């Protein structure tokens, strides 16, 4: 109880210390961004329409405002520690109740299996009858476990679709804001790399992630029923190879995106500085005004880019958190059930449950790496200063 | 029938069989068969509530359709093992092996729809 009190006071202190800092950070922004915001209105609306309703429910109403400063205020509110913790609490609460019911169901199945095995162990002395009974009971238990799991993959598949839709909707907005800030080269480079990334994402999602998981689960299923044991190692090999390839691909994409953006941004800055210098030198009065205007526009675009980038990261975070937490809790549930199966000497069920937990671990890795890559590209975008 | 009654019946049957074996050997075999059937029947009366409880557990787990095949398989195994052990006691090993083979195949036949369902799930998983 004493420890809980200490932790609560630490959390309260952190909240008190962090909340004003977040507000103070954005408080000084008074740039007139209405002209620039109006220029990208269509792209903003495209991005809003790509946000699924369940994620839109988690965002503040001001995030969908017409005014750029209101959007920035909404993003600031939603990124406060309290707001994010409340969203996590809401998501985790729902997931925990779902997982507890699933755990109770699997524990019931394990109990049936244990009772059945002990019932049969007493009288089935001949090896043939024992094996036939074992096959029958393994098939039944595996069917019972998998009966309630088939719908669980749909939410993972939906997450990949949401990420893709959001990225597609973000591309025009990012391109327009890059170009408005004078980063024409960076806009082109970012667009090219992101388009490449999206096509790879499409291939990864529809072609590999779920099929690989399906193959591994099918192998685990057949392995548990047959009691062979060799199919499980094959599934492990497939998973390891796939995860390694995917990590390499993601690393490559991050590297290319980072290098392209940095180089293109440097090139754009040089080009814009040259233009500004030429304008200032050859047209003494008007040229200076043009140069100043360009600097103001760059500041406003920088602000908008920060708002768009942080807002997009927030939307992605709210798309990522429910799926990630749900998959994580599912994995913990399978691990707990696997441990219970081991305690009850239900070998076939233990194999299936440990394979399920391993497949969910693989899902966690894929989801996290996708989120990291998309967040990295958005961070590059929002942190990339306007040219000049 | 409680455990004391069952134990008493078993001991009385053994004594009776031993006496009959000395006095009238031809009656020993029917006595043995009757005693075994009586004990088997007593065991079955205990098996019934276990089956009912397992059916309830299956229903709670959402797999009531799977209760019948698995419990039938358990019943077949029980009957076949009992019959085979009785045949073995009488020195009829070939008959015992036949009964066990029949039981094994019967359980496999019962398991076939379950295996079909497993393959169906595997097929669904491979369709992702």
């Amino acid at each position: 109880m004493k420890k809980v009190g200490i932790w609560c006071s630490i959390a309260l202190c952190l909240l008190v210390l962090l909340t004003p800092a977040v507000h103070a950070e954005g408080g000084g922004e008074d740039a007139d961004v209405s002209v620039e915001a109006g220029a990208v209105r269509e792209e903003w609306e495209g991005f809003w329409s790509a946000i699924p309703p369940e994620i839109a429910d988690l965002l503040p109403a001001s995030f969908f405002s017409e005014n750029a400063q209101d959007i920035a205020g909404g993003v600031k509110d939603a990124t406060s520690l309290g707001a994010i913790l409340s969203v996590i609490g809401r998501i985790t609460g729902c997931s925990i109740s779902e997982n507890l019911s699933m755990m109770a169901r699997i524990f019931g199945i394990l109990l049936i299996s244990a009772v059945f095995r002990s019932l049969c162990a007493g009288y089935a002395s001949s090896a043939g009858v024992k094996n036939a009974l074992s096959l029958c009971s393994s098939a039944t238990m595996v069917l019972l476990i998998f009966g309630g799991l088939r719908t669980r993959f749909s939410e993972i598949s939906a997450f990949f679709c949401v990420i893709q839709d959001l990225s597609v909707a973000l591309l025009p907005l990012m391109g327009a804001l890059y170009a408005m800030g004078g980063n024409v080269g960076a806009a082109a480079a970012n667009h090219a790399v992101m388009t490449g990334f999206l096509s790879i994402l499409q291939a990864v999602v529809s072609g590999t992630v779920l099929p690989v998981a399906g193959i591994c689960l099918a192998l685990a299923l057949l392995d548990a029923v047959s009691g062979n044991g060799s199919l499980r190692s094959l599934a492990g090999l497939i998973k390891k190879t796939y995860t390694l390839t995917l990590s390499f691909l993601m690393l490559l994409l991050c590297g290319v995106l980072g290098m392209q953006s940095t180089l293109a941004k440097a090139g754009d800055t040089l080009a814009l500085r040259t233009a500004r210098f030429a304008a200032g030198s050859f047209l003494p009065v008007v040229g200076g005004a043009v140069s100043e205007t360009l600097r103001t526009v760059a500041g406003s675009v920088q602000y908008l880019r920060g708002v768009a980038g942080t807002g997009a990261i927030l939307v992605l975070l709210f798309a990522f958190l429910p799926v990630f937490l749900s998959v994580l809790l599912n994995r913990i549930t399978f691990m707990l059930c696997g441990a219970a199966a081991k305690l009850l000497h239900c070998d076939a069920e233990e194999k299936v449950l440990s394979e399920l937990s391993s497949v969910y671990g693989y899902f966690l890795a894929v989801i996290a790496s996708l989120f990291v890559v998309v967040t990295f590209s958005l961070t590059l975008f929002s942190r990339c200063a306007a040219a000049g | 029938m409680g455990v004391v009654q069952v134990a008493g019946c078993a001991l009385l049957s053994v004594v009776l069989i031993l006496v009959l074996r000395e006095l009238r050997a031809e009656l020993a075999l029917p006595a043995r068969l009757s005693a075994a059937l009586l004990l088997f029947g007593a065991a079955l009366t205990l098996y019934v509530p276990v089956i009912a409880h397992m059916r309830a557990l299956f229903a709670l787990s959402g797999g009531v359709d799977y209760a019948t095949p698995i419990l039938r398989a358990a019943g077949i195994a029980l009957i076949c093992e009992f019959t085979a052990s009785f045949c073995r006691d009488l020195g009829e090993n070939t008959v015992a092996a036949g009964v066990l083979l029949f039981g094994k195949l019967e359980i496999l036949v019962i398991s076939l729809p379950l295996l079909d369902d497993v393959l169906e799930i595997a097929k669904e998983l491979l369709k992702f």
Side-chain angles (χ1 to χ4, degrees), chain B residues 84-126:
Chain B
S85 65
F86 198 79
C87 293
R88 260 189 242 115
D89 278 356
L90 295 176
E92 295 296 333
N93 284 332
T94 321
V95 179
V99 169
L100 286 177
L101 180 69
F102 181 82
K104 190 171 79 176
L105 290 175
E106 179 85 25
I107 294 170
L108 285 177
V109 168
I110 288 171
S111 308
L112 283 179
L114 298 174
L115 293 176
D116 280 349
D117 286 355
V118 169
L119 288 176
E120 196 58 44
I121 291 184
K123 221 159 75 177
E124 267 179 42
L125 287 170
L126 292 174

mmCIF file of all heavy atoms in Angstrom, chain B residues 84-126:
data_model
loop_
_atom_site.group_PDB
_atom_site.id
_atom_site.type_symbol
_atom_site.label_atom_id
_atom_site.label_comp_id
_atom_site.label_asym_id
_atom_site.label_seq_id
_atom_site.Cartn_x
_atom_site.Cartn_y
_atom_site.Cartn_z
ATOM 1 N N ALA B 84 -11.335 -57.104 -23.946
ATOM 2 C CA ALA B 84 -10.038 -57.688 -24.304
ATOM 3 C C ALA B 84 -9.366 -58.295 -23.075
ATOM 4 O O ALA B 84 -8.776 -59.387 -23.165
ATOM 5 C CB ALA B 84 -9.146 -56.615 -24.918
ATOM 6 N N SER B 85 -9.470 -57.636 -21.941
ATOM 7 C CA SER B 85 -8.816 -58.177 -20.741
ATOM 8 C C SER B 85 -9.511 -59.470 -20.304
ATOM 9 O O SER B 85 -8.855 -60.414 -19.852
ATOM 10 C CB SER B 85 -8.799 -57.145 -19.608
ATOM 11 O OG SER B 85 -10.109 -56.879 -19.213
ATOM 12 N N PHE B 86 -10.819 -59.499 -20.502
ATOM 13 C CA PHE B 86 -11.557 -60.716 -20.164
ATOM 14 C C PHE B 86 -11.143 -61.862 -21.091
ATOM 15 O O PHE B 86 -10.908 -62.984 -20.640
ATOM 16 C CB PHE B 86 -13.068 -60.440 -20.270
ATOM 17 C CG PHE B 86 -13.887 -61.457 -19.553
ATOM 18 C CD1 PHE B 86 -14.027 -61.387 -18.167
ATOM 19 C CD2 PHE B 86 -14.501 -62.493 -20.234
ATOM 20 C CE1 PHE B 86 -14.758 -62.341 -17.494
ATOM 21 C CE2 PHE B 86 -15.232 -63.450 -19.551
ATOM 22 C CZ PHE B 86 -15.367 -63.381 -18.182
ATOM 23 N N CYS B 87 -11.031 -61.529 -22.382
ATOM 24 C CA CYS B 87 -10.610 -62.555 -23.358
ATOM 25 C C CYS B 87 -9.205 -63.049 -23.013
ATOM 26 O O CYS B 87 -8.906 -64.242 -23.114
ATOM 27 C CB CYS B 87 -10.605 -61.988 -24.774
ATOM 28 S SG CYS B 87 -12.240 -61.598 -25.355
ATOM 29 N N ARG B 88 -8.330 -62.119 -22.621
ATOM 30 C CA ARG B 88 -6.945 -62.484 -22.273
ATOM 31 C C ARG B 88 -6.915 -63.416 -21.062
ATOM 32 O O ARG B 88 -6.153 -64.366 -21.025
ATOM 33 C CB ARG B 88 -6.127 -61.217 -22.004
ATOM 34 C CG ARG B 88 -5.265 -60.824 -23.201
ATOM 35 C CD ARG B 88 -4.312 -59.712 -22.840
ATOM 36 N NE ARG B 88 -4.612 -58.541 -23.660
ATOM 37 C CZ ARG B 88 -5.061 -57.399 -23.203
ATOM 38 N NH1 ARG B 88 -5.273 -57.224 -21.919
ATOM 39 N NH2 ARG B 88 -5.285 -56.411 -24.026
ATOM 40 N N ASP B 89 -7.811 -63.126 -20.095
ATOM 41 C CA ASP B 89 -7.895 -63.981 -18.899
ATOM 42 C C ASP B 89 -8.268 -65.411 -19.256
ATOM 43 O O ASP B 89 -7.847 -66.360 -18.594
ATOM 44 C CB ASP B 89 -8.962 -63.436 -17.935
ATOM 45 C CG ASP B 89 -8.427 -62.317 -17.089
ATOM 46 O OD1 ASP B 89 -7.211 -62.038 -17.215
ATOM 47 O OD2 ASP B 89 -9.203 -61.704 -16.322
ATOM 48 N N LEU B 90 -9.080 -65.515 -20.302
ATOM 49 C CA LEU B 90 -9.515 -66.860 -20.728
ATOM 50 C C LEU B 90 -8.514 -67.494 -21.701
ATOM 51 O O LEU B 90 -8.782 -68.556 -22.245
ATOM 52 C CB LEU B 90 -10.890 -66.774 -21.396
ATOM 53 C CG LEU B 90 -12.041 -66.331 -20.487
ATOM 54 C CD1 LEU B 90 -13.316 -66.181 -21.268
ATOM 55 C CD2 LEU B 90 -12.241 -67.332 -19.357
ATOM 56 N N GLY B 91 -7.425 -66.795 -21.927
ATOM 57 C CA GLY B 91 -6.371 -67.330 -22.792
ATOM 58 C C GLY B 91 -6.630 -67.108 -24.263
ATOM 59 O O GLY B 91 -5.959 -67.681 -25.110
ATOM 60 N N GLU B 92 -7.614 -66.266 -24.605
ATOM 61 C CA GLU B 92 -7.947 -66.020 -26.018
ATOM 62 C C GLU B 92 -7.306 -64.706 -26.475
ATOM 63 O O GLU B 92 -7.979 -63.685 -26.645
ATOM 64 C CB GLU B 92 -9.466 -65.964 -26.203
ATOM 65 C CG GLU B 92 -10.188 -67.255 -25.919
ATOM 66 C CD GLU B 92 -9.802 -68.379 -26.866
ATOM 67 O OE1 GLU B 92 -9.396 -68.096 -28.016
ATOM 68 O OE2 GLU B 92 -9.873 -69.547 -26.449
ATOM 69 N N ASN B 93 -6.021 -64.748 -26.653
ATOM 70 C CA ASN B 93 -5.288 -63.515 -27.007
ATOM 71 C C ASN B 93 -5.661 -62.980 -28.389
ATOM 72 O O ASN B 93 -5.688 -61.780 -28.618
ATOM 73 C CB ASN B 93 -3.787 -63.756 -26.942
ATOM 74 C CG ASN B 93 -3.317 -63.783 -25.504
ATOM 75 O OD1 ASN B 93 -3.914 -63.154 -24.627
ATOM 76 N ND2 ASN B 93 -2.278 -64.552 -25.238
ATOM 77 N N THR B 94 -5.921 -63.903 -29.323
ATOM 78 C CA THR B 94 -6.247 -63.475 -30.687
ATOM 79 C C THR B 94 -7.574 -62.716 -30.700
ATOM 80 O O THR B 94 -7.705 -61.682 -31.364
ATOM 81 C CB THR B 94 -6.362 -64.708 -31.614
ATOM 82 O OG1 THR B 94 -5.348 -65.617 -31.255
ATOM 83 C CG2 THR B 94 -6.246 -64.338 -33.064
ATOM 84 N N VAL B 95 -8.535 -63.261 -29.949
ATOM 85 C CA VAL B 95 -9.837 -62.578 -29.873
ATOM 86 C C VAL B 95 -9.652 -61.200 -29.226
ATOM 87 O O VAL B 95 -10.230 -60.194 -29.678
ATOM 88 C CB VAL B 95 -10.857 -63.428 -29.068
ATOM 89 C CG1 VAL B 95 -12.195 -62.712 -28.967
ATOM 90 C CG2 VAL B 95 -11.034 -64.781 -29.708
ATOM 91 N N ALA B 96 -8.812 -61.147 -28.176
ATOM 92 C CA ALA B 96 -8.549 -59.870 -27.487
ATOM 93 C C ALA B 96 -7.955 -58.851 -28.465
ATOM 94 O O ALA B 96 -8.376 -57.679 -28.503
ATOM 95 C CB ALA B 96 -7.593 -60.092 -26.327
ATOM 96 N N ALA B 97 -7.001 -59.320 -29.278
ATOM 97 C CA ALA B 97 -6.361 -58.412 -30.255
ATOM 98 C C ALA B 97 -7.400 -57.923 -31.265
ATOM 99 O O ALA B 97 -7.395 -56.748 -31.656
ATOM 100 C CB ALA B 97 -5.224 -59.129 -30.962
ATOM 101 N N GLY B 98 -8.296 -58.827 -31.685
ATOM 102 C CA GLY B 98 -9.346 -58.451 -32.627
ATOM 103 C C GLY B 98 -10.259 -57.375 -32.055
ATOM 104 O O GLY B 98 -10.598 -56.395 -32.734
ATOM 105 N N VAL B 99 -10.624 -57.565 -30.791
ATOM 106 C CA VAL B 99 -11.514 -56.586 -30.134
ATOM 107 C C VAL B 99 -10.816 -55.219 -30.056
ATOM 108 O O VAL B 99 -11.420 -54.169 -30.345
ATOM 109 C CB VAL B 99 -11.902 -57.089 -28.716
ATOM 110 C CG1 VAL B 99 -12.580 -55.988 -27.921
ATOM 111 C CG2 VAL B 99 -12.802 -58.296 -28.804
ATOM 112 N N LEU B 100 -9.546 -55.260 -29.678
ATOM 113 C CA LEU B 100 -8.803 -53.991 -29.559
ATOM 114 C C LEU B 100 -8.647 -53.295 -30.907
ATOM 115 O O LEU B 100 -8.761 -52.067 -31.008
ATOM 116 C CB LEU B 100 -7.419 -54.239 -28.942
ATOM 117 C CG LEU B 100 -7.415 -54.528 -27.438
ATOM 118 C CD1 LEU B 100 -6.031 -54.838 -26.952
ATOM 119 C CD2 LEU B 100 -7.997 -53.360 -26.647
ATOM 120 N N LEU B 101 -8.413 -54.127 -31.942
ATOM 121 C CA LEU B 101 -8.282 -53.555 -33.288
ATOM 122 C C LEU B 101 -9.585 -52.901 -33.718
ATOM 123 O O LEU B 101 -9.606 -51.782 -34.258
ATOM 124 C CB LEU B 101 -7.883 -54.665 -34.280
ATOM 125 C CG LEU B 101 -7.720 -54.220 -35.730
ATOM 126 C CD1 LEU B 101 -6.500 -53.334 -35.882
ATOM 127 C CD2 LEU B 101 -7.614 -55.415 -36.657
ATOM 128 N N PHE B 102 -10.685 -53.617 -33.431
ATOM 129 C CA PHE B 102 -11.994 -53.058 -33.776
ATOM 130 C C PHE B 102 -12.227 -51.730 -33.038
ATOM 131 O O PHE B 102 -12.680 -50.747 -33.621
ATOM 132 C CB PHE B 102 -13.107 -54.064 -33.427
ATOM 133 C CG PHE B 102 -14.467 -53.547 -33.780
ATOM 134 C CD1 PHE B 102 -14.947 -53.644 -35.080
ATOM 135 C CD2 PHE B 102 -15.263 -52.921 -32.825
ATOM 136 C CE1 PHE B 102 -16.192 -53.134 -35.414
ATOM 137 C CE2 PHE B 102 -16.503 -52.404 -33.149
ATOM 138 C CZ PHE B 102 -16.970 -52.525 -34.444
ATOM 139 N N GLY B 103 -11.885 -51.741 -31.752
ATOM 140 C CA GLY B 103 -12.068 -50.527 -30.938
ATOM 141 C C GLY B 103 -11.242 -49.371 -31.480
ATOM 142 O O GLY B 103 -11.737 -48.233 -31.609
ATOM 143 N N LYS B 104 -9.996 -49.670 -31.825
ATOM 144 C CA LYS B 104 -9.097 -48.628 -32.352
ATOM 145 C C LYS B 104 -9.664 -48.025 -33.644
ATOM 146 O O LYS B 104 -9.725 -46.801 -33.800
ATOM 147 C CB LYS B 104 -7.724 -49.252 -32.620
ATOM 148 C CG LYS B 104 -6.642 -48.260 -32.938
ATOM 149 C CD LYS B 104 -5.294 -48.912 -32.971
ATOM 150 C CE LYS B 104 -5.081 -49.649 -34.274
ATOM 151 N NZ LYS B 104 -3.708 -50.221 -34.369
ATOM 152 N N LEU B 105 -10.116 -48.925 -34.534
ATOM 153 C CA LEU B 105 -10.658 -48.443 -35.818
ATOM 154 C C LEU B 105 -11.951 -47.656 -35.620
ATOM 155 O O LEU B 105 -12.188 -46.651 -36.280
ATOM 156 C CB LEU B 105 -10.880 -49.614 -36.776
ATOM 157 C CG LEU B 105 -9.589 -50.244 -37.290
ATOM 158 C CD1 LEU B 105 -9.879 -51.474 -38.122
ATOM 159 C CD2 LEU B 105 -8.786 -49.238 -38.099
ATOM 160 N N GLU B 106 -12.769 -48.128 -34.664
ATOM 161 C CA GLU B 106 -14.032 -47.431 -34.377
ATOM 162 C C GLU B 106 -13.735 -46.004 -33.877
ATOM 163 O O GLU B 106 -14.395 -45.040 -34.300
ATOM 164 C CB GLU B 106 -14.802 -48.234 -33.315
ATOM 165 C CG GLU B 106 -16.117 -47.631 -32.890
ATOM 166 C CD GLU B 106 -17.288 -48.009 -33.793
ATOM 167 O OE1 GLU B 106 -17.219 -49.060 -34.430
ATOM 168 O OE2 GLU B 106 -18.248 -47.219 -33.854
ATOM 169 N N ILE B 107 -12.733 -45.895 -33.005
ATOM 170 C CA ILE B 107 -12.370 -44.559 -32.493
ATOM 171 C C ILE B 107 -11.846 -43.687 -33.638
ATOM 172 O O ILE B 107 -12.165 -42.499 -33.738
ATOM 173 C CB ILE B 107 -11.333 -44.670 -31.348
ATOM 174 C CG1 ILE B 107 -11.957 -45.351 -30.138
ATOM 175 C CG2 ILE B 107 -10.819 -43.285 -30.935
ATOM 176 C CD1 ILE B 107 -10.966 -45.713 -29.046
ATOM 177 N N LEU B 108 -11.057 -44.299 -34.524
ATOM 178 C CA LEU B 108 -10.541 -43.527 -35.672
ATOM 179 C C LEU B 108 -11.681 -43.057 -36.577
ATOM 180 O O LEU B 108 -11.661 -41.929 -37.076
ATOM 181 C CB LEU B 108 -9.539 -44.358 -36.475
ATOM 182 C CG LEU B 108 -8.164 -44.516 -35.834
ATOM 183 C CD1 LEU B 108 -7.282 -45.419 -36.669
ATOM 184 C CD2 LEU B 108 -7.483 -43.164 -35.664
ATOM 185 N N VAL B 109 -12.672 -43.938 -36.768
ATOM 186 C CA VAL B 109 -13.830 -43.556 -37.602
ATOM 187 C C VAL B 109 -14.573 -42.377 -36.960
ATOM 188 O O VAL B 109 -14.983 -41.432 -37.641
ATOM 189 C CB VAL B 109 -14.771 -44.776 -37.816
ATOM 190 C CG1 VAL B 109 -16.103 -44.356 -38.410
ATOM 191 C CG2 VAL B 109 -14.104 -45.784 -38.733
ATOM 192 N N ILE B 110 -14.698 -42.453 -35.630
ATOM 193 C CA ILE B 110 -15.378 -41.351 -34.923
ATOM 194 C C ILE B 110 -14.556 -40.056 -35.051
ATOM 195 O O ILE B 110 -15.104 -38.960 -35.147
ATOM 196 C CB ILE B 110 -15.573 -41.731 -33.432
ATOM 197 C CG1 ILE B 110 -16.658 -42.789 -33.315
ATOM 198 C CG2 ILE B 110 -15.947 -40.519 -32.583
ATOM 199 C CD1 ILE B 110 -16.782 -43.373 -31.935
ATOM 200 N N SER B 111 -13.219 -40.218 -35.058
ATOM 201 C CA SER B 111 -12.339 -39.031 -35.110
ATOM 202 C C SER B 111 -12.276 -38.394 -36.494
ATOM 203 O O SER B 111 -11.821 -37.251 -36.614
ATOM 204 C CB SER B 111 -10.912 -39.401 -34.707
ATOM 205 O OG SER B 111 -10.902 -40.057 -33.496
ATOM 206 N N LEU B 112 -12.694 -39.134 -37.518
ATOM 207 C CA LEU B 112 -12.544 -38.610 -38.896
ATOM 208 C C LEU B 112 -13.220 -37.254 -39.118
ATOM 209 O O LEU B 112 -12.601 -36.346 -39.681
ATOM 210 C CB LEU B 112 -13.031 -39.639 -39.922
ATOM 211 C CG LEU B 112 -12.053 -40.792 -40.194
ATOM 212 C CD1 LEU B 112 -12.636 -41.760 -41.202
ATOM 213 C CD2 LEU B 112 -10.708 -40.284 -40.678
ATOM 214 N N PRO B 113 -14.484 -37.069 -38.676
ATOM 215 C CA PRO B 113 -15.082 -35.726 -38.861
ATOM 216 C C PRO B 113 -14.298 -34.631 -38.133
ATOM 217 O O PRO B 113 -14.191 -33.512 -38.615
ATOM 218 C CB PRO B 113 -16.486 -35.872 -38.269
ATOM 219 C CG PRO B 113 -16.748 -37.323 -38.199
ATOM 220 C CD PRO B 113 -15.441 -38.008 -38.096
ATOM 221 N N LEU B 114 -13.733 -35.005 -36.961
ATOM 222 C CA LEU B 114 -12.936 -34.024 -36.207
ATOM 223 C C LEU B 114 -11.680 -33.658 -36.995
ATOM 224 O O LEU B 114 -11.301 -32.484 -37.087
ATOM 225 C CB LEU B 114 -12.519 -34.579 -34.838
ATOM 226 C CG LEU B 114 -13.632 -34.936 -33.859
ATOM 227 C CD1 LEU B 114 -13.058 -35.592 -32.620
ATOM 228 C CD2 LEU B 114 -14.380 -33.678 -33.452
ATOM 229 N N LEU B 115 -11.065 -34.677 -37.588
ATOM 230 C CA LEU B 115 -9.859 -34.419 -38.389
ATOM 231 C C LEU B 115 -10.206 -33.578 -39.616
ATOM 232 O O LEU B 115 -9.409 -32.726 -40.036
ATOM 233 C CB LEU B 115 -9.192 -35.725 -38.797
ATOM 234 C CG LEU B 115 -8.584 -36.531 -37.643
ATOM 235 C CD1 LEU B 115 -8.037 -37.850 -38.134
ATOM 236 C CD2 LEU B 115 -7.500 -35.758 -36.937
ATOM 237 N N ASP B 116 -11.392 -33.827 -40.172
ATOM 238 C CA ASP B 116 -11.852 -33.006 -41.306
ATOM 239 C C ASP B 116 -11.950 -31.542 -40.884
ATOM 240 O O ASP B 116 -11.538 -30.640 -41.621
ATOM 241 C CB ASP B 116 -13.228 -33.473 -41.797
ATOM 242 C CG ASP B 116 -13.127 -34.688 -42.698
ATOM 243 O OD1 ASP B 116 -11.991 -35.005 -43.092
ATOM 244 O OD2 ASP B 116 -14.166 -35.311 -42.979
ATOM 245 N N ASP B 117 -12.512 -31.317 -39.678
ATOM 246 C CA ASP B 117 -12.641 -29.940 -39.164
ATOM 247 C C ASP B 117 -11.264 -29.303 -38.955
ATOM 248 O O ASP B 117 -11.064 -28.123 -39.231
ATOM 249 C CB ASP B 117 -13.422 -29.927 -37.839
ATOM 250 C CG ASP B 117 -14.900 -30.172 -38.051
ATOM 251 O OD1 ASP B 117 -15.313 -30.245 -39.223
ATOM 252 O OD2 ASP B 117 -15.629 -30.298 -37.049
ATOM 253 N N VAL B 118 -10.322 -30.115 -38.442
ATOM 254 C CA VAL B 118 -8.957 -29.603 -38.218
ATOM 255 C C VAL B 118 -8.348 -29.186 -39.557
ATOM 256 O O VAL B 118 -7.761 -28.102 -39.689
ATOM 257 C CB VAL B 118 -8.071 -30.674 -37.518
ATOM 258 C CG1 VAL B 118 -6.612 -30.265 -37.537
ATOM 259 C CG2 VAL B 118 -8.519 -30.885 -36.088
ATOM 260 N N LEU B 119 -8.534 -30.050 -40.551
ATOM 261 C CA LEU B 119 -7.983 -29.732 -41.880
ATOM 262 C C LEU B 119 -8.667 -28.499 -42.475
ATOM 263 O O LEU B 119 -8.027 -27.696 -43.163
ATOM 264 C CB LEU B 119 -8.132 -30.928 -42.821
ATOM 265 C CG LEU B 119 -7.191 -32.092 -42.516
ATOM 266 C CD1 LEU B 119 -7.485 -33.261 -43.425
ATOM 267 C CD2 LEU B 119 -5.728 -31.681 -42.670
ATOM 268 N N GLU B 120 -9.953 -28.367 -42.180
ATOM 269 C CA GLU B 120 -10.706 -27.204 -42.674
ATOM 270 C C GLU B 120 -10.118 -25.916 -42.070
ATOM 271 O O GLU B 120 -9.922 -24.913 -42.768
ATOM 272 C CB GLU B 120 -12.183 -27.365 -42.276
ATOM 273 C CG GLU B 120 -13.155 -26.473 -43.020
ATOM 274 C CD GLU B 120 -13.115 -26.653 -44.518
ATOM 275 O OE1 GLU B 120 -13.066 -27.811 -44.999
ATOM 276 O OE2 GLU B 120 -13.120 -25.620 -45.205
ATOM 277 N N ILE B 121 -9.821 -25.967 -40.760
ATOM 278 C CA ILE B 121 -9.221 -24.794 -40.096
ATOM 279 C C ILE B 121 -7.838 -24.520 -40.685
ATOM 280 O O ILE B 121 -7.474 -23.369 -40.957
ATOM 281 C CB ILE B 121 -9.129 -25.008 -38.568
ATOM 282 C CG1 ILE B 121 -10.530 -24.994 -37.962
ATOM 283 C CG2 ILE B 121 -8.287 -23.931 -37.904
ATOM 284 C CD1 ILE B 121 -10.566 -25.105 -36.460
ATOM 285 N N ALA B 122 -7.062 -25.594 -40.892
ATOM 286 C CA ALA B 122 -5.724 -25.424 -41.477
ATOM 287 C C ALA B 122 -5.840 -24.785 -42.867
ATOM 288 O O ALA B 122 -5.052 -23.901 -43.221
ATOM 289 C CB ALA B 122 -5.014 -26.764 -41.560
ATOM 290 N N LYS B 123 -6.840 -25.214 -43.622
ATOM 291 C CA LYS B 123 -7.065 -24.656 -44.963
ATOM 292 C C LYS B 123 -7.419 -23.167 -44.876
ATOM 293 O O LYS B 123 -6.910 -22.355 -45.641
ATOM 294 C CB LYS B 123 -8.211 -25.428 -45.639
ATOM 295 C CG LYS B 123 -7.961 -25.717 -47.102
ATOM 296 C CD LYS B 123 -8.784 -26.853 -47.625
ATOM 297 C CE LYS B 123 -10.220 -26.550 -47.850
ATOM 298 N NZ LYS B 123 -10.991 -27.642 -48.420
ATOM 299 N N GLU B 124 -8.267 -22.848 -43.894
ATOM 300 C CA GLU B 124 -8.649 -21.438 -43.686
ATOM 301 C C GLU B 124 -7.432 -20.596 -43.314
ATOM 302 O O GLU B 124 -7.278 -19.465 -43.772
ATOM 303 C CB GLU B 124 -9.679 -21.337 -42.557
ATOM 304 C CG GLU B 124 -11.106 -21.372 -43.040
ATOM 305 C CD GLU B 124 -12.081 -21.306 -41.892
ATOM 306 O OE1 GLU B 124 -11.869 -20.524 -40.967
ATOM 307 O OE2 GLU B 124 -13.060 -22.074 -41.934
ATOM 308 N N LEU B 125 -6.578 -21.168 -42.474
ATOM 309 C CA LEU B 125 -5.376 -20.435 -42.044
ATOM 310 C C LEU B 125 -4.432 -20.201 -43.228
ATOM 311 O O LEU B 125 -3.783 -19.164 -43.317
ATOM 312 C CB LEU B 125 -4.628 -21.212 -40.956
ATOM 313 C CG LEU B 125 -5.268 -21.237 -39.580
ATOM 314 C CD1 LEU B 125 -4.552 -22.231 -38.677
ATOM 315 C CD2 LEU B 125 -5.229 -19.863 -38.940
ATOM 316 N N LEU B 126 -4.398 -21.164 -44.129
ATOM 317 C CA LEU B 126 -3.510 -21.019 -45.291
ATOM 318 C C LEU B 126 -4.084 -20.065 -46.343
ATOM 319 O O LEU B 126 -3.385 -19.674 -47.265
ATOM 320 C CB LEU B 126 -3.240 -22.385 -45.923
ATOM 321 C CG LEU B 126 -2.402 -23.330 -45.062
ATOM 322 C CD1 LEU B 126 -2.304 -24.699 -45.700
ATOM 323 C CD2 LEU B 126 -1.012 -22.778 -44.820
#
